[in-house]
Amino acid sequence: MTPPNHSTVVATVTPDDLRAQLRRRAHLKGRQPEDAAMAEVAQLLGPRPAEGFRRDLLIEYLHRINDHHGALHARHLVAQAHLMNLPLAEVYEVASFYQHFDILRDDDAQAPRLVLRVCDGLSCSMADARELLAALPERLRAAGYGDVRVQAAPCVGRCEQAPVAVVHQYPVPHATVDGVLAQVNLTPDRSVAKHPQALAATIFEAKPQSAITRGDEGVAPAWVGLAAYLAQGGYQLAAALVNGEMDADAVLAAMEDAGLRGLGGAGFPAGRKWRIVREQAALAERRAAPREAAAPSGGSEPRVAGERGGTAVMAVNIDEGEPGTFKDRTYLERDPHRFLEGMLVAAQVVGTEAVYIYLRDEYHGCRAILQAAIAELQADPPCPLPRIELRRGAGAYICGEESAMLESIEGKRGEPRMRPPYIAQVGLFGRPTLEHNFETLYWVRDIVERGPQWFAGFGRHGRKGLRSFSVSGRVKQPGVKLAPAGITVQELIDEYCGGMLDGHQLYAYLPGGASGGILPARLADVPLDFDTLQPHGCFIGSAAVIVLSQHDRARDAALNMMRFFAHESCGQCTPCRVGTAKAAQLMQAPVWDGDTLDDLAQVMQDASICGLGQAAPNPMRCVQRYFAHEVQA
């Protein structure tokens, strides 16, 4: 059979067509780095290491660019992606996740000369922060400061100084319009180092044994430098442990006997955590031994960037972002070496050789102090030290969640991880990780030296230990109060805070910050400690106590907190991302839709990935339970 006759069309390709195709293929797709931008970014990043720029330092590099230029221009992001050999999309998705990075897509756009943030957290809102925020733009324009951006900001960790404004990196406690304008006048541009005459300059100079001046507060206690700390017996415990003069198991037993629990919010027993991570590290070492023995000479797996060779690593959480909490900042401003010694003890007992300290970006003064204290320690070490790296947050409350913090330390978006595996098994850089809050480590030296019974000997109402309460709101003397565990809020106010403000009576209180719920005054005799508040729908968390009076409404406090959670949700899971925003919208109604809010709360609690979404409904539920008269018809 003869096949059908089909005509065939043959295209003729000329040499000119081939050359045009080659030119098109040779042209790279996407935006290419500019020579000028490459030079600017390269100068800020410093000399290129032989092995290339470390991927886990991406956020640190972004900070350098953002600090210098006041924003992240698109041309600089392209140049940074090229220098770090990363996809531009990866650099952009990290930069856009964090609030303190200001991305300018238009290269001709100008960054503001200064950014002025006014805290709108609950304590500051109770101190008329909203009125301050509304008045500042007009006054700044009238004073000729039209190039200063004014914006609301979530809690900045200075609730005892409410209301608080932050001019670039300088906090203005007990802020007034005139006080903020004076700070703006003292800060000609965003360069901190060029203007030591600003009100908070002595914080940034970070000189030990010198007064730290903070605006109208007068003089705060000087922080204890290395020489003074050594004179007080400092680092003797760490040196004895590292040098083998003290048994690590004895230290571990003391921590377990003292009953110290994690003071970042979760309350997991510290000694038990040390033992778990140590066991996981030993297990990981045994698993790795056959692989290393089988590997060719010199061919074992390279260590993660920043490590000296240990299997386990340690991560310290000082991302103190829970509204109402400021205890870590207060202790760090006064005695950083006590914390560093506790950190060294924990690292030695568990067997970690690399320590990463994650400090929230709002604590610029604390960062300078901590940098100076670490430099002192490394210049004159009392014993061999692990590798210590100080990492800077970028304005994301979610990074206070332990796994999200690890993601951020690795230079990624701070999104919580699914569990299992837990970070004690697979944590930072895939290694067993000991994660601790600042204050937990702050107490290690005292507990071991004085004995576990010293710490356990404090307490009231059947509870044991000490608690650092961050107290703010309608009390005469707000601040960090070191008090016995189990103290009641009424005792705390009367004995440690000088009582309520004149003309104010206790109406309600938040026992554990934004996520800890709200209780009425009739429950002012409930012991403030772990496991005592859960029957009432609350928990102590970070022990941030915010006191409300009859001039406040619990529903307003709950709405403030829900708006905070909606703003700070990482957006990874739908129950939290959608639930917090929808709840905040419904809570604005004069009469609440209780059934819908209950459904939202249940879904958020059951299906959210991390504690932010799971705990966000607590204040709302407490209002429905204890303050129904405020939200019902």
Side-chain angles (χ1 to χ4, degrees), residues 126-140:
M126 293 165 61
D128 300 328
R130 282 292 175 183
E131 290 75 2
L132 178 66
L133 186 62
L136 278 171
E138 183 178 350
R139 285 289 302 274
L140 285 166

Side-chain angles (χ1 to χ4, degrees), residues 188-467:
D189 61 41
R190 57 181 168 266
S191 175
V192 176
K194 294 180 180 178
H195 304 288
Q197 75 274 28
L199 291 177
T202 49
I203 294 180
F204 292 91
E205 291 175 2
K207 295 179 180 178
Q209 304 305 315
S210 63
I212 299 177
T213 304
R214 297 195 188 88
D216 59 354
E217 282 194 290
V219 177
W223 64 276
V224 179
L226 180 60
Y229 187 71
L230 290 173
Q232 300 169 6
Y235 290 113
Q236 291 182 6
L237 170 63
L241 188 61
V242 174
N243 296 330
E245 300 168 6
M246 178 176 288
D247 183 25
D249 288 330
V251 175
L252 182 56
M255 292 294 296
E256 291 177 327
D257 293 342
L260 177 67
R261 298 175 65 167
L263 299 173
F268 193 85
R272 190 191 308 172
K273 181 183 289 189
W274 290 14
R275 189 175 296 279
I276 291 173
V277 177
R278 190 165 73 163
E279 291 171 352
Q280 290 296 324
L283 181 61
E285 288 282 10
R286 289 196 296 271
R287 288 173 176 171
R291 293 196 301 268
E292 293 181 358
S297 178
S300 59
E301 290 186 5
R303 296 294 181 182
V304 174
E307 290 188 48
R308 297 190 307 169
T311 296
V313 295
M314 183 175 177
V316 182
N317 190 342
I318 323 181
D319 193 57
E320 190 177 43
E322 182 79 5
T325 311
F326 46 90
K327 60 184 178 62
D328 292 349
R329 170 185 62 80
T330 301
Y331 287 133
L332 180 52
E333 288 174 340
R334 288 155 174 77
D335 201 354
H337 284 286
R338 188 173 299 272
F339 149 69
L340 290 174
E341 182 168 15
M343 182 186 77
L344 296 180
V345 171
Q348 180 64 24
V349 170
V350 175
T352 64
E353 290 188 313
V355 180
Y356 298 82
I357 304 173
Y358 192 87
L359 179 67
R360 73 178 303 198
D361 194 33
E362 289 82 353
Y363 288 173
H364 296 282
C366 288
R367 187 169 65 254
I369 291 173
L370 196 50
Q371 285 172 335
I374 293 173
E376 283 185 320
L377 182 62
Q378 292 173 333
D380 186 18
C383 58
L385 302 176
R387 181 180 179 87
I388 302 172
E389 291 197 19
L390 178 59
R391 295 298 182 85
R392 178 179 173 186
Y397 166 73
I398 189 63
C399 289
E401 197 275 340
E402 59 179 13
S403 64
M405 178 187 68
L406 302 189
E407 291 288 298
S408 189
I409 292 175
E410 293 180 3
K412 304 172 185 176
R413 295 164 62 92
E415 296 177 336
R417 300 175 181 176
M418 295 293 291
R419 283 162 287 196
Y422 296 95
I423 68 170
Q425 303 165 304
V426 181
L428 189 59
F429 304 120
R431 297 178 176 275
T433 301
L434 175 65
E435 186 272 344
H436 262 314
N437 168 259
F438 169 91
E439 195 200 350
T440 309
L441 298 172
Y442 185 86
W443 290 112
V444 168
R445 175 191 166 187
D446 285 315
I447 289 174
V448 177
E449 288 186 345
R450 301 188 184 195
Q453 294 308 316
W454 168 80
F455 185 81
F458 295 94
R460 292 187 187 178
H461 306 296
R463 313 304 296 178
K464 294 182 179 181
L466 290 167
R467 298 287 176 266

Side-chain angles (χ1 to χ4, degrees), residues 63-86:
H63 272 304
R64 295 183 191 180
I65 300 171
N66 196 80
D67 286 348
H68 186 81
H69 294 282
L72 298 174
H73 290 89
R75 65 179 185 274
H76 293 140
L77 293 178
V78 173
Q80 183 175 6
H82 184 79
L83 288 170
M84 298 188 68
N85 196 27
L86 292 173

Side-chain angles (χ1 to χ4, degrees), residues 118-188:
V118 178
C119 176
D120 65 353
L122 178 57
S123 299
C124 286
S125 294
M126 293 165 61
D128 300 328
R130 282 292 175 183
E131 290 75 2
L132 178 66
L133 186 62
L136 278 171
E138 183 178 350
R139 285 289 302 274
L140 285 166
R141 285 193 297 268
Y145 295 118
D147 54 351
V148 175
R149 180 197 296 164
V150 181
Q151 63 186 52
C155 183
V156 298
R158 294 182 174 272
C159 310
E160 84 280 26
Q161 303 166 0
V164 178
V166 181
V167 180
H168 182 45
Q169 296 180 348
Y170 297 106
V172 183
H174 308 297
T176 62
V177 173
D178 291 337
V180 172
L181 289 175
Q183 179 65 78
V184 171
N185 186 51
L186 288 171
T187 314

